[in-house]
Amino acid sequence: MEKKKHILIACGTGVATSTVVSMRVKEELEKNNIQATVEQCKVSELPSKVGSADLVVTTTSYENDEIPVIRALSFLTGVDVEADIEKIIEILK
């Protein structure tokens, strides 16, 4: 059995917007049969958490050279959500 993926979902405060994004990401992972742990956090916490993650999905700007980062404002605006979901699924497969 392959290792469960670990996704960090970060927003400025680690509460409101990351909850919206995290619920949607979990839904899509289930639809695509992808086993993953989805953890919400503040962007300021990313440096200490990112080592164990396979992917970072954020609603604010953040960059990391070690792992993929998707800036998913689409989950809040509703524009291009499908494209971001495809990217997430692609990275985790």
Side-chain angles (χ1 to χ4, degrees):
M1 202 173 101
E2 63 182 276
K3 180 177 101 61
K4 211 175 184 186
K5 301 288 186 182
H6 183 189
I7 306 165
L8 287 172
I9 299 192
C11 69
T13 59
V15 188
T17 55
S18 62
T19 303
V20 172
V21 176
S22 136
M23 284 166 50
R24 183 68 196 269
V25 168
K26 284 178 188 170
E27 221 173 82
E28 296 298 331
L29 293 174
E30 275 174 31
K31 282 186 204 164
N32 288 277
N33 287 323
I34 295 174
Q35 292 292 308
T37 307
V38 178
E39 180 186 349
Q40 291 170 237
C41 66
K42 298 179 187 139
V43 169
S44 60
E45 295 172 314
L46 283 173
S48 65
K49 294 178 177 276
V50 83
S52 65
D54 297 293
L55 170 66
V56 172
V57 178
T58 176
T59 57
T60 180
S61 86
Y62 173 76
E63 285 175 30
N64 187 306
D65 297 330
E66 326 260 301
I67 67 164
V69 176
I70 292 180
R71 182 143 186 224
L73 273 176
S74 63
F75 287 91
L76 306 176
T77 63
V79 179
D80 291 334
V81 178
E82 294 307 317
D84 281 338
I85 287 169
E86 275 175 35
K87 282 186 222 162
I88 291 169
I89 302 302
E90 203 48 48
I91 289 167
L92 296 174
K93 277 197 168 160

